[in-house]
């Protein structure tokens, strides 16, 4: 890994563990095994590094989701594959969790990739559902509203699982929404 | 308000604004206008105060939810009233947000009221849905899984709204799940 990559990866790890306010330039340098001069050679400072880290996390999340969205099967099977993909449920969503970081939310530059990622996920899910309606696989549902519902179940499932210290409520929430969707399968 | 109440209310406000780690005993005293001696007369320290603050927030949330759960109308109307109740969506859920506070989640005592509140909400929602099934208002749905889905939509709706800086995705997610539930209305 290049020094630049190590700095970004270290920032991702620290943002996850300690949040924005708890992630100091010094800690990033120590974690990456890079000197101060090296860090400021590659990045103007913590905000630029955090932005690069958040963008990389967001890009990975999109690429993972796209594997299921454009995978084989009916629309409902692809939504099910997305929701039931192997996840570290108790760890939570690396992008969703940023919405609870007050420093990230307060900075329009840092919030943008979070906003864009969720907007993209909702749009792609709506496209998958609309394809299902066009192909006659699904009937009687609004793809746009339903896409937001599916995304909310996922993000809220993480919250319920963390509260319970168990993946059970996440799995129940996913089973429940897939059963509701199955009623609309032709 | 008694000094004890002021200390609890100040802890609630500070936990909300700064999280557990950012809430010092000194800040609680200053916010409450209480001295150190007075604070330690009423509470053994920050953990006991935080527990009292979290319990009070949880009790309020349950009482508010129970108004809709035991309100008038069919099961579906009561679920809709609960989801569409006036909420400060962009502020988020005061209990749900605690699941993102690492210090609260790491302490079994502090996590317990969060866990219990969500378990209670899912159980009450499942009872409301089961009543609807018994009365023939709803058909073909599993009350337990569906209750987790409805709770996840609510908690995830907050996450999507914060990411977007807009209540729109929250409202879409709620509309979407209520439309899916309406398909099961007899």
């Amino acid at each position: 890994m290049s020094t630049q990559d190590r700095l970004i990866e270290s920032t991702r790890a620290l943002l996850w563990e300690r949040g924005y306010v708890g992630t100091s330039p010094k800690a990033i340098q120590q974690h990456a095994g890079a000197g101060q001069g090296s860090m400021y050679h590659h990045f103007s400072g913590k905000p630029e590094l955090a932005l690069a880290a958040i963008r990389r996390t967001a890009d990975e999340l999109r690429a993972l989701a796209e594997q299921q969205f454009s995978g084989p099967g009916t629309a409902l099977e692809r939504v099910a594959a997305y929701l039931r993909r192997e996840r570290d449920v108790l760890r939570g969503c690396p992008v969703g969790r940023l919405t609870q970081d007050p420093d990230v939310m307060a900075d329009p530059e840092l919030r943008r990739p979070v906003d864009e990622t969720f907007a993209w996920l909702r749009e792609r899910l709506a496209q998958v559902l609309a394809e299902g309606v066009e192909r006659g696989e699904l009937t009687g549902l609004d793809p746009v509203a339903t896409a937001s519902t599916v995304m909310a179940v996922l993000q809220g499932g993480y919250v319920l699982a963390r509260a319970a210290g168990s993946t059970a409520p996440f799995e129940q929430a996913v089973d429940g929404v897939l059963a509701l969707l199955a009623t609309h399968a032709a």
Side-chain angles (χ1 to χ4, degrees), chain A residues 69-150:
Chain A
F69 295 158
S70 59
T74 65
L76 188 50
E77 283 165 352
R78 287 181 283 154
V79 172
Y82 173 60
L83 289 175
R84 291 197 165 134
R85 183 179 86 205
E86 197 177 329
R87 295 168 186 276
D88 193 345
V89 170
L90 292 178
R91 204 168 141 79
C93 172
V95 178
R97 206 160 126 177
L98 292 168
T99 64
Q100 303 304 320
D101 190 319
D103 300 284
V104 173
M105 287 296 103
D107 182 328
E109 285 296 307
L110 293 179
R111 211 191 70 197
R112 187 169 301 131
V114 178
D115 182 3
E116 286 174 356
T117 301
F118 282 124
W120 180 88
L121 284 166
R122 285 188 287 125
E123 203 183 306
R124 280 295 289 126
L125 261 171
Q127 285 169 359
V128 170
L129 291 166
E131 274 172 35
V133 171
E134 278 162 33
R135 292 180 191 165
E137 297 162 10
L138 291 169
T139 52
L141 56 76
D142 171 8
V144 172
T146 310
S148 287
T149 302
V150 169

Side-chain angles (χ1 to χ4, degrees), chain A residues 83 147-160 169-170 172-178:
Chain A
L83 289 175
S148 287
T149 302
V150 169
M151 277 301 297
V153 165
L154 191 58
Q155 292 298 320
Y158 286 124
V159 174
L160 300 182
F170 177 95
Q172 280 185 346
V174 165
D175 288 348
V177 79
L178 288 174

Side-chain angles (χ1 to χ4, degrees), chain A residues 52-81:
Chain A
I54 292 172
R55 280 198 183 133
R56 188 173 286 188
T57 298
D59 288 346
E60 281 184 10
L61 200 81
R62 290 194 201 196
L64 263 173
E66 189 55 34
Q67 285 178 21
Q68 283 94 45
F69 295 158
S70 59
T74 65
L76 188 50
E77 283 165 352
R78 287 181 283 154
V79 172

Side-chain angles (χ1 to χ4, degrees), chain A residues 11-12 26 28 63 146 177:
Chain A
T11 307
R12 288 176 77 187
K26 191 88 202 155
I28 296 170
T146 310
V177 79

Side-chain angles (χ1 to χ4, degrees), chain A residues 7-18:
Chain A
L7 285 161
I8 294 174
E9 289 302 317
S10 295
T11 307
R12 288 176 77 187
L14 292 167
L15 273 181
W16 179 266
E17 286 164 25
R18 309 180 193 178

